[in-house]
Amino acid sequence: TVILAGLPSDANAAKGAAEYDLEYYMRDLFMGNKKEGNLPVSNAPPAAPPRTLREPLLPLLLDDELQSSIPIQELARVTSIPIGALAEQVIAYRTKVAPAFQASHPWQKESVTDEYYFDLTCYAIWKVASATIQDYAVRDKFVRSIGSRLLKEMVQREFLSKQSIALLNKNDNKLTELIPCVIEVLDQFQSTAYCSSYRLGDKNDEERSGLKVFDELDDEEISSPNGAGSVNCLVSIFDPASLGGSLQITGEGSRFSPDFVGPTLAALFERVGAKVDFESYFVDPVYRPNPKDFFPNERFYQFTIARKS
């Protein structure tokens, strides 16, 4: 089962503009769809113990004080609202929805080092962002800026190898040259326990995955004026720490949900001098006879890397 995530198209811009009653949505948090017809939704699988998120990437993603991490700083920059005022709104929202989150995914400590408290905090930040950013183009700018900042900080703080840093300091790379960079960035997300694992490329095609996800023909598509001009890349992130909040926001009718990996890889792919768009989907790998049951563990991305016209 698959459900679309991400920012809304212009056609859907009006949808979800009005604020729905919060308690209506929170009562069904993580419990699947509403009961309809003859088959009730099944109970969700029990939550695994929360992972512990760690440095070096975690302080860039979120911080307990809501002062120094990239999302809160970028939200302040985009909205011109002081960080302190935004932090107060996030804390107030987080406190309001915490009981519903904790009922299904109990955290062990009130710190963003705890996977489920991280998830709750992401949800609260993006809900405050949706309330303070009404323009969908500005929302996209906010998300993209998070990815650009993350990649920039990884380079400046030397989280990546010297070879990758040298490549990422250029803007005229080939896609094949960037494959090790992509893997290193994904390794950073995994090593910080943001996700349990990842897959680069098509799971049904070993010739288009991992270190072979791009080839020389892809380089030509982007660089040659005679090529079609676009290349697709598939990435799967398993058990992302922001999954629950992202699913909840999607269930509320919005596609403006917490995301770190998508915009970071988009910023990386732009290093070939291309225009990069991406969509993401939530995937439940288990076949379930009841169509109302949907318990995904994967966020699946499709990137379209196109030659600039």
Side-chain angles (χ1 to χ4, degrees), residues 152-274:
K152 179 180 178 181
E153 293 291 340
M154 287 186 201
V155 170
Q156 291 183 343
R157 300 187 187 204
E158 298 183 347
F159 291 174
L160 309 175
S161 68
K162 291 182 179 180
Q163 293 86 348
S164 289
I165 290 172
L167 286 169
L168 293 172
N169 280 324
K170 301 193 304 178
N171 290 310
D172 58 349
N173 298 289
K174 296 179 180 179
L175 283 173
T176 50
E177 294 174 331
L178 288 179
I179 295 173
C181 304
V182 175
I183 292 174
E184 284 190 41
V185 167
L186 291 171
D187 283 344
Q188 283 290 320
F189 280 102
Q190 184 175 359
S191 65
T192 206
Y194 174 79
C195 60
S196 62
S197 60
Y198 67 84
R199 180 175 59 239
L200 174 61
D202 188 343
K203 68 177 181 180
N204 297 315
D205 187 356
E206 292 186 1
E207 295 301 316
R208 297 287 289 178
S209 63
L211 289 170
K212 298 181 288 184
V213 69
F214 299 124
D215 58 25
E216 292 180 357
L217 293 178
D218 295 322
D219 290 335
E220 291 181 13
E221 291 292 346
I222 300 300
S223 62
S224 172
N226 299 320
S230 68
V231 173
N232 290 330
C233 180
L234 307 180
V235 177
S236 292
I237 302 297
F238 298 99
D239 305 301
S242 57
L243 179 62
S246 298
L247 286 171
Q248 177 59 23
I249 288 176
T250 302
E252 293 169 8
S254 174
R255 292 170 59 193
F256 180 50
S257 64
D259 193 5
F260 296 98
V261 175
T264 302
L265 291 183
L268 193 158
F269 290 138
E270 287 173 352
R271 294 301 199 275
V272 300

Side-chain angles (χ1 to χ4, degrees), residues 91-154:
I91 291 170
Y93 208 97
R94 183 174 64 187
T95 300
K96 185 175 182 180
V97 302
F101 269 72
Q102 194 168 35
S104 60
H105 289 72
W107 48 84
Q108 296 177 353
K109 59 188 299 186
E110 292 187 353
S111 168
V112 296
T113 60
D114 185 295
E115 175 191 1
Y116 297 144
Y117 201 77
F118 179 99
D119 190 18
L120 166 67
T121 304
C122 282
Y123 175 81
I125 290 175
W126 259 259
K127 290 298 288 185
V128 169
S130 68
T132 54
I133 307 174
Q134 297 297 315
D135 188 310
Y136 284 91
V138 179
R139 289 183 177 183
D140 182 65
K141 180 181 178 182
F142 165 65
V143 172
R144 294 285 186 140
S145 70
I146 291 174
S148 296
R149 278 282 309 277
L150 271 172
L151 187 63
K152 179 180 178 181
E153 293 291 340
M154 287 186 201

Side-chain angles (χ1 to χ4, degrees), residues 9-20:
S9 65
D10 292 338
N12 293 328
K15 183 179 180 181
E19 287 297 325
Y20 293 103

